[in-house]
Amino acid sequence: MAILVVGGAGYIGSHTARALRHAGYDVILYDNLSTGSRRLAQGFELIEADIADAATLRPALARADALMHFAAHAYVGESVENPRKYFRNNVTAALTLLNSALEAGIRRIVFSSSCAVYGVPRQIPITEETNREPVNPYGASKLFFENALEAYSRAYGLRSVRLRYFNAAGADESGEIGELHNPETHLIPLALAATASGRELQIYGSDYDTQDGTCVRDYIHVNDLADAHMRALQYLESADQNAVQSLALNLGTGRGHSVLEIVEAAETATGRPVRRSVRPRRAGDPPILIADPAKAQSVLGWTAKRNLPEIISSAWAWMQSASRRRAA
Ligand code: UFG
């Protein structure tokens, strides 16, 4: 069975591609390498093209039995400054992908959605029934595609699982692939980099209504996300005609960690201090985001297996191997 992994040279796509191959699937990567990296695609067939390119999509989709869609711009701040870029890729181009998949006869899609579809939730932990009220163009673009999948499932019988990630983090335990963002804006790699370089970490806000005043997030290991994608695919393969046609699932651990807890965990993992300074709040940051992952457990039999120290130590091992490679 062949899976087209669109955005497969990116952070979460590349980890999922490995998990799929390990489970015996044929994997074809499709990525325009705008944010993805050839390094993360090593060892796989890679079709280097854009999701707006229907002519290249057509023969690629014709070879696939199912589609996984990871190809999106994913910086919240950038989406506020440049919404056009986000709607062009995450909505317009993504619809070209969806329509091409439909025309190619694909009836199973696993989609990378985000907890950003919830905006600033009124209740914690967040269940899938929480209102979807995104507060930035990135979240709005993810919600648009979710709505399209729901409509396509009703109208055309196209089955989908929409996986709403909380904060993806960590790296494959092999040290061969991991998080590669340019620019890097995420807390865990920046905190680890601060221990190595002595550069100061900026803490965005210490006056939130949380245990220590800093924002709380639900960090989930990228290989736990990869495992959930495999299970989502198996769910779509199951012949159960009563199964939900377009299913949304939260992927998180159900545990929250504050920014300061992450800083301490980075210090523990590396044995070095993180120099830090407190800055004003970052626009658009909800104070607390924690998943209720019960539905993913009951429907897919999935739970996160890796804890925060494992997330941080795998991210650190990846950063060290990447810097060794650069030095070599
Ligand atoms: N933070 C800092 N300093 C930094 C970087 C981050 O204090 O240098 C804080 C942020 O303010 C936030 C927390 O660390 O409170 C986590 O920030 P990240 O940038 O690592 O992650 P986000 O929570 O902003 O982003 C994640 C996903 C997005 C998703 C978003 C939903 O990466 O894809 O959650 O809110 F859209």
Side-chain angles (χ1 to χ4, degrees):
M1 175 153 171
I3 316 298
L4 189 69
V5 180
V6 175
Y11 173 39
I12 303 169
S14 62
H15 286 76
T16 303
R18 286 191 172 214
L20 287 168
R21 186 169 63 185
H22 188 71
Y25 290 97
D26 292 326
V27 179
I28 308 161
L29 307 187
Y30 188 104
D31 201 301
N32 67 2
L33 299 183
S34 68
T35 54
S37 128
R38 211 175 284 286
R39 221 205 102 59
L40 300 182
Q42 246 169 34
F44 286 85
E45 175 185 353
L46 169 66
I47 300 171
E48 195 180 327
D50 198 275
I51 54 171
D53 179 355
T56 308
L57 279 171
R58 214 168 289 124
L61 286 161
R63 295 168 53 202
D65 301 291
L67 170 67
M68 289 202 180
H69 173 30
F70 296 90
H73 295 312
Y75 291 120
V76 171
E78 185 187 55
S79 80
V80 176
E81 283 153 27
N82 192 359
R84 191 173 156 178
K85 174 175 175 180
Y86 279 70
F87 291 122
R88 190 193 291 132
N89 184 69
N90 298 4
V91 174
T92 311
L95 281 179
T96 300
L97 170 66
L98 180 59
N99 290 328
S100 303
L102 189 69
E103 283 155 21
I106 301 261
R107 291 295 175 268
R108 283 164 287 187
I109 298 188
V110 181
F111 171 56
S112 298
S113 190
S114 166
C115 63
V117 299
Y118 296 117
V120 183
R122 279 179 275 267
Q123 271 196 335
I124 299 291
I126 303 169
T127 69
E128 289 79 358
E129 280 62 54
T130 303
N131 287 347
R132 288 176 290 166
E133 297 168 334
V135 292
N136 50 59
Y138 168 68
S141 72
K142 290 285 173 184
L143 178 56
F144 182 96
F145 199 79
E146 281 208 12
N147 286 335
L149 286 175
E150 285 183 276
Y152 278 41
S153 74
R154 277 191 294 269
Y156 311 126
L158 192 154
R159 301 182 67 202
S160 56
V161 180
R162 298 167 273 133
L163 297 173
R164 296 179 184 153
Y165 315 152
F166 282 64
N167 284 55
D172 189 58
E173 287 82 5
S174 68
E176 289 167 11
I177 55 171
E179 194 163 4
L180 264 187
H181 292 124
N182 187 16
E184 187 52 80
T185 61
H186 293 101
L187 177 62
I188 290 179
L190 288 177
L192 289 168
T195 69
S197 67
R199 224 182 12 238
E200 198 174 77
L201 177 75
Q202 310 195 335
I203 294 184
Y204 300 136
S206 62
D207 58 349
Y208 285 98
D209 187 13
T210 59
Q211 76 253 22
D212 59 23
T214 63
C215 283
V216 171
R217 294 286 180 273
D218 184 339
Y219 295 90
I220 171 87
H221 195 287
V222 64
N223 275 349
D224 281 326
L225 292 181
D227 178 40
H229 284 77
M230 292 240 309
R231 289 168 187 261
L233 188 62
Q234 285 154 6
Y235 173 85
L236 292 174
E237 285 166 21
S238 73
D240 181 0
Q241 291 310 313
N242 297 321
V244 179
Q245 295 299 301
S246 182
L247 176 72
L249 295 174
N250 287 339
L251 296 181
T253 64
R255 285 208 52 198
H257 295 283
S258 72
V259 173
L260 288 180
E261 282 177 332
I262 298 297
V263 169
E264 279 158 28
E267 290 178 327
T268 305
T270 60
R272 294 188 223 159
V274 173
R275 286 205 313 122
R276 73 207 72 169
S277 65
V278 174
R279 297 288 151 133
R281 294 179 178 199
R282 191 170 67 176
D285 270 345
I288 305 179
L289 293 172
I290 301 173
D292 178 344
K295 192 169 169 194
Q297 172 155 29
S298 69
V299 180
L300 301 183
W302 174 89
T303 49
K305 300 216 166 43
R306 296 151 179 97
N307 60 20
L308 185 67
E310 288 164 308
I311 289 174
I312 306 254
S313 62
S314 65
W316 180 230
W318 156 247
M319 283 178 73
Q320 286 176 302
S321 71
S323 75
R324 271 197 302 275
R325 265 194 307 276
R326 275 195 303 274

mmCIF file of all heavy atoms in Angstrom, residues 2 63 74 119 122 124 148 184-185 193 198 230 232 259 265 270 281 293 295 305 316:
data_model
loop_
_atom_site.group_PDB
_atom_site.id
_atom_site.type_symbol
_atom_site.label_atom_id
_atom_site.label_comp_id
_atom_site.label_asym_id
_atom_site.label_seq_id
_atom_site.Cartn_x
_atom_site.Cartn_y
_atom_site.Cartn_z
ATOM 1 N N ALA A 2 0.593 2.203 -0.900
ATOM 2 C CA ALA A 2 1.460 3.374 -1.057
ATOM 3 C C ALA A 2 0.814 4.624 -0.461
ATOM 4 O O ALA A 2 -0.379 4.877 -0.682
ATOM 5 C CB ALA A 2 1.740 3.606 -2.538
ATOM 6 N N ARG A 63 -0.388 7.081 -8.067
ATOM 7 C CA ARG A 63 0.390 5.944 -7.529
ATOM 8 C C ARG A 63 0.045 5.643 -6.075
ATOM 9 O O ARG A 63 0.569 4.684 -5.499
ATOM 10 C CB ARG A 63 1.883 6.273 -7.628
ATOM 11 C CG ARG A 63 2.375 6.413 -9.052
ATOM 12 C CD ARG A 63 3.779 7.016 -9.093
ATOM 13 N NE ARG A 63 4.704 6.275 -8.246
ATOM 14 C CZ ARG A 63 5.840 6.775 -7.753
ATOM 15 N NH1 ARG A 63 6.195 8.011 -8.036
ATOM 16 N NH2 ARG A 63 6.608 6.042 -6.993
ATOM 17 N N ALA A 74 3.561 27.432 9.030
ATOM 18 C CA ALA A 74 3.111 27.155 10.402
ATOM 19 C C ALA A 74 3.684 28.097 11.465
ATOM 20 O O ALA A 74 3.882 27.685 12.602
ATOM 21 C CB ALA A 74 3.430 25.711 10.756
ATOM 22 N N GLY A 119 -8.243 28.593 19.161
ATOM 23 C CA GLY A 119 -8.040 29.968 19.641
ATOM 24 C C GLY A 119 -7.692 29.993 21.111
ATOM 25 O O GLY A 119 -6.807 29.273 21.561
ATOM 26 N N ARG A 122 -12.037 28.495 26.447
ATOM 27 C CA ARG A 122 -12.568 28.905 27.750
ATOM 28 C C ARG A 122 -12.368 27.816 28.790
ATOM 29 O O ARG A 122 -12.433 28.076 29.979
ATOM 30 C CB ARG A 122 -14.053 29.245 27.618
ATOM 31 C CG ARG A 122 -14.258 30.660 27.069
ATOM 32 C CD ARG A 122 -15.720 30.991 26.914
ATOM 33 N NE ARG A 122 -16.226 30.513 25.638
ATOM 34 C CZ ARG A 122 -16.263 31.245 24.527
ATOM 35 N NH1 ARG A 122 -15.834 32.481 24.556
ATOM 36 N NH2 ARG A 122 -16.722 30.762 23.395
ATOM 37 N N ILE A 124 -10.135 24.228 30.073
ATOM 38 C CA ILE A 124 -8.946 23.370 29.995
ATOM 39 C C ILE A 124 -9.249 22.126 30.828
ATOM 40 O O ILE A 124 -9.801 22.279 31.925
ATOM 41 C CB ILE A 124 -7.712 24.116 30.575
ATOM 42 C CG1 ILE A 124 -7.414 25.395 29.781
ATOM 43 C CG2 ILE A 124 -6.488 23.212 30.636
ATOM 44 C CD1 ILE A 124 -6.895 25.187 28.377
ATOM 45 N N ALA A 148 -13.403 21.912 4.862
ATOM 46 C CA ALA A 148 -13.458 21.321 3.519
ATOM 47 C C ALA A 148 -13.482 19.797 3.621
ATOM 48 O O ALA A 148 -14.269 19.133 2.933
ATOM 49 C CB ALA A 148 -12.254 21.792 2.700
ATOM 50 N N GLU A 184 14.224 29.541 13.649
ATOM 51 C CA GLU A 184 13.676 28.747 14.750
ATOM 52 C C GLU A 184 12.981 29.698 15.727
ATOM 53 O O GLU A 184 13.574 30.678 16.159
ATOM 54 C CB GLU A 184 14.796 27.983 15.458
ATOM 55 C CG GLU A 184 14.304 27.005 16.502
ATOM 56 C CD GLU A 184 13.219 26.055 15.948
ATOM 57 O OE1 GLU A 184 13.558 25.071 15.269
ATOM 58 O OE2 GLU A 184 12.024 26.339 16.201
ATOM 59 N N THR A 185 11.736 29.399 16.028
ATOM 60 C CA THR A 185 10.987 30.270 16.953
ATOM 61 C C THR A 185 10.472 29.484 18.150
ATOM 62 O O THR A 185 9.878 30.062 19.051
ATOM 63 C CB THR A 185 9.755 30.889 16.246
ATOM 64 O OG1 THR A 185 8.903 29.809 15.827
ATOM 65 C CG2 THR A 185 10.148 31.735 15.057
ATOM 66 N N ALA A 193 19.465 25.713 22.620
ATOM 67 C CA ALA A 193 20.507 26.491 21.949
ATOM 68 C C ALA A 193 21.097 27.509 22.912
ATOM 69 O O ALA A 193 22.299 27.791 22.864
ATOM 70 C CB ALA A 193 19.944 27.187 20.715
ATOM 71 N N GLY A 198 25.153 30.263 25.092
ATOM 72 C CA GLY A 198 25.190 31.336 26.083
ATOM 73 C C GLY A 198 24.304 32.509 25.683
ATOM 74 O O GLY A 198 24.209 33.500 26.397
ATOM 75 N N MET A 230 -0.049 6.785 11.912
ATOM 76 C CA MET A 230 -0.175 5.402 11.437
ATOM 77 C C MET A 230 -1.500 4.804 11.875
ATOM 78 O O MET A 230 -2.180 4.129 11.111
ATOM 79 C CB MET A 230 0.929 4.573 12.065
ATOM 80 C CG MET A 230 2.262 4.962 11.546
ATOM 81 S SD MET A 230 2.961 3.570 10.803
ATOM 82 C CE MET A 230 2.705 2.448 12.161
ATOM 83 N N ALA A 232 -4.160 6.435 12.606
ATOM 84 C CA ALA A 232 -5.248 7.121 11.890
ATOM 85 C C ALA A 232 -5.437 6.489 10.517
ATOM 86 O O ALA A 232 -6.566 6.276 10.061
ATOM 87 C CB ALA A 232 -4.922 8.606 11.757
ATOM 88 N N VAL A 259 6.690 27.658 30.661
ATOM 89 C CA VAL A 259 7.944 28.027 29.996
ATOM 90 C C VAL A 259 9.107 27.818 30.967
ATOM 91 O O VAL A 259 10.157 27.260 30.590
ATOM 92 C CB VAL A 259 7.883 29.493 29.497
ATOM 93 C CG1 VAL A 259 9.237 29.937 28.965
ATOM 94 C CG2 VAL A 259 6.813 29.651 28.416
ATOM 95 N N ALA A 265 14.073 22.063 32.582
ATOM 96 C CA ALA A 265 14.315 20.738 31.990
ATOM 97 C C ALA A 265 15.487 20.805 31.004
ATOM 98 O O ALA A 265 16.277 19.859 30.908
ATOM 99 C CB ALA A 265 13.050 20.234 31.287
ATOM 100 N N THR A 270 21.096 19.315 29.806
ATOM 101 C CA THR A 270 22.400 19.715 29.254
ATOM 102 C C THR A 270 23.448 19.923 30.339
ATOM 103 O O THR A 270 24.640 19.975 30.034
ATOM 104 C CB THR A 270 22.278 21.042 28.476
ATOM 105 O OG1 THR A 270 21.820 22.051 29.391
ATOM 106 C CG2 THR A 270 21.274 20.923 27.336
ATOM 107 N N ARG A 281 4.628 39.999 26.774
ATOM 108 C CA ARG A 281 3.909 38.871 26.168
ATOM 109 C C ARG A 281 4.024 38.913 24.644
ATOM 110 O O ARG A 281 4.066 40.000 24.070
ATOM 111 C CB ARG A 281 2.417 38.954 26.524
ATOM 112 C CG ARG A 281 2.125 38.764 27.982
ATOM 113 C CD ARG A 281 0.631 38.887 28.200
ATOM 114 N NE ARG A 281 0.277 38.655 29.600
ATOM 115 C CZ ARG A 281 -0.945 38.347 30.022
ATOM 116 N NH1 ARG A 281 -1.937 38.270 29.153
ATOM 117 N NH2 ARG A 281 -1.194 38.137 31.293
ATOM 118 N N PRO A 293 -6.720 14.150 25.671
ATOM 119 C CA PRO A 293 -6.446 13.189 24.592
ATOM 120 C C PRO A 293 -7.284 11.920 24.662
ATOM 121 O O PRO A 293 -6.988 10.935 23.979
ATOM 122 C CB PRO A 293 -4.962 12.864 24.809
ATOM 123 C CG PRO A 293 -4.747 13.029 26.282
ATOM 124 C CD PRO A 293 -5.801 13.964 26.829
ATOM 125 N N LYS A 295 -10.142 10.989 23.483
ATOM 126 C CA LYS A 295 -10.798 10.476 22.278
ATOM 127 C C LYS A 295 -9.796 9.702 21.396
ATOM 128 O O LYS A 295 -10.133 8.640 20.855
ATOM 129 C CB LYS A 295 -11.413 11.638 21.499
ATOM 130 C CG LYS A 295 -12.352 11.207 20.408
ATOM 131 C CD LYS A 295 -13.113 12.402 19.862
ATOM 132 C CE LYS A 295 -13.869 12.065 18.597
ATOM 133 N NZ LYS A 295 -14.316 13.271 17.899
ATOM 134 N N LYS A 305 3.660 8.192 24.577
ATOM 135 C CA LYS A 305 4.494 7.281 25.380
ATOM 136 C C LYS A 305 5.698 7.989 25.985
ATOM 137 O O LYS A 305 6.308 7.495 26.927
ATOM 138 C CB LYS A 305 5.005 6.150 24.496
ATOM 139 C CG LYS A 305 3.889 5.345 23.882
ATOM 140 C CD LYS A 305 4.224 3.884 23.764
ATOM 141 C CE LYS A 305 3.009 3.048 23.470
ATOM 142 N NZ LYS A 305 2.112 3.650 22.450
ATOM 143 N N TRP A 316 17.941 17.400 22.304
ATOM 144 C CA TRP A 316 19.338 17.775 22.580
ATOM 145 C C TRP A 316 20.289 16.868 21.801
ATOM 146 O O TRP A 316 21.260 17.330 21.194
ATOM 147 C CB TRP A 316 19.576 17.704 24.091
ATOM 148 C CG TRP A 316 20.951 18.056 24.563
ATOM 149 C CD1 TRP A 316 21.727 17.315 25.408
ATOM 150 C CD2 TRP A 316 21.711 19.243 24.269
ATOM 151 N NE1 TRP A 316 22.911 17.953 25.639
ATOM 152 C CE2 TRP A 316 22.937 19.144 24.958
ATOM 153 C CE3 TRP A 316 21.469 20.362 23.478
ATOM 154 C CZ2 TRP A 316 23.920 20.120 24.885
ATOM 155 C CZ3 TRP A 316 22.462 21.352 23.403
ATOM 156 C CH2 TRP A 316 23.664 21.219 24.099
#
